Amino acid sequence: MRGERGKRARSTILDVARLARVHPSTVSRILNDRPGLTLRPETRARVLAISKRLDYRPSALARSLRLQRTLTLGMLVPDIANAFLAGIIKGAEEACHERGYTLIVCNTADVPEREATYLRVLRERQVDGVLVASARLSDESIGSLLAERFPVALVNRGTHVDRGTRGNDDLWVHVDDRGGAVAAIDHLAALGHRRIAHVAGPQTTTTGRERLVGTRAALRRHGLTGTIVEAEAWSEVEGYRAARQLLRGDPPSAIFAANDLIAFGVLRAAREAGLDVPEDVALVGFNDIPEAALVDLSTVHVPQHEMGARAAELLIARAEGRPIAEPRILLETRLVARGSSAPAKERVTA
């Protein structure tokens, strides 16, 4: 059948059912892959072949109305260009796709007003839940969503994650930031470094605070005081600025940077100061983004893809009303030693 302009009319489920010689409900159940359907393989194959030939696709709107869900999730991230967050986004998107959901990613630039705007827009579009990876989203905003019992999952961030002060059923996927920081300091101490500095991440973020706590604990255990400077953003520019303070006068023999981007800034500052990495200054980062291997950076590996995937799985389960045995997931990290960290050289004194 053709319309007024000669275009072929869109096929319907009735067309598929008529040609396949089955009831329309059977077509629906096959195409939506519903459980509990027992059919002969040839019947299933015939329905799928005819649906493909007619270019018939089930109505997403009809399915949403039937399920009372839009099968859409929102995701707030502070910097979509950040390679670390890109891994998390990819994991979340793939998990959504496997379960028939669409992911809408919103780049907040860590601006509270933009975060609030995107949250409002996502709610207006009736998404089934929101993944929050935005480091500076206020707890009041999250609390408001939770108070409304709106599905929210935190990924790579949280508040008081180790103290149990959040609700027992709040959803979050985090990594062991403290343990990763301890591993970095242990690695440098095992190489004989005694003058170890830490370029900490922004202390307005959970990640920055947790990594600093782990660093200080490890330094104390090794009988070291260490020097701490704070980067005001998770960026190469801030790593460079902070490192210039550390490298004036009598520089440390090793630096642990709170993430790889900050470590890249430290590396640039060291080279400008005429210092060789690792001969003069050993360097360790955190996250193990793809670029870290290219510059031979020792770093703490974080399972970025798994973080995004598991957070999306939790959120989908909450949106669908399914029981969740483990609402809070803490993933392990591991140290990856590369060429940027080497044994400390004996210090020559006059």
Side-chain angles (χ1 to χ4, degrees), residues 29-41:
R29 296 183 71 183
I30 290 175
L31 297 183
N32 287 298
D33 196 25
R34 295 189 206 171
L37 180 61
T38 303
L39 283 175
R40 291 183 297 176

Side-chain angles (χ1 to χ4, degrees), residues 19-22 26 30 38-50:
L19 293 175
R21 301 186 303 279
V22 297
T26 302
I30 290 175
T38 303
L39 283 175
R40 291 183 297 176
E42 54 267 29
T43 301
R44 182 184 298 272
R46 185 169 68 251
V47 168
L48 293 175
I50 292 172

Side-chain angles (χ1 to χ4, degrees), residues 241-257:
R241 180 197 63 78
R244 291 188 67 185
Q245 299 178 42
L246 286 174
L247 299 176
R248 294 188 187 123
D250 186 20
S253 69
I255 297 175
F256 166 45

Side-chain angles (χ1 to χ4, degrees), residues 9 35 153 166 309 322:
R166 294 185 57 77
R322 292 187 277 114

Side-chain angles (χ1 to χ4, degrees), residues 315-337:
L315 188 57
I316 290 171
R318 175 61 53 83
E320 294 178 351
R322 292 187 277 114
I324 300 174
E326 189 180 5
R328 294 178 288 181
I329 298 173
L330 188 66
L331 300 175
E332 294 298 318
T333 59
R334 59 181 173 84
L335 183 82
V336 179

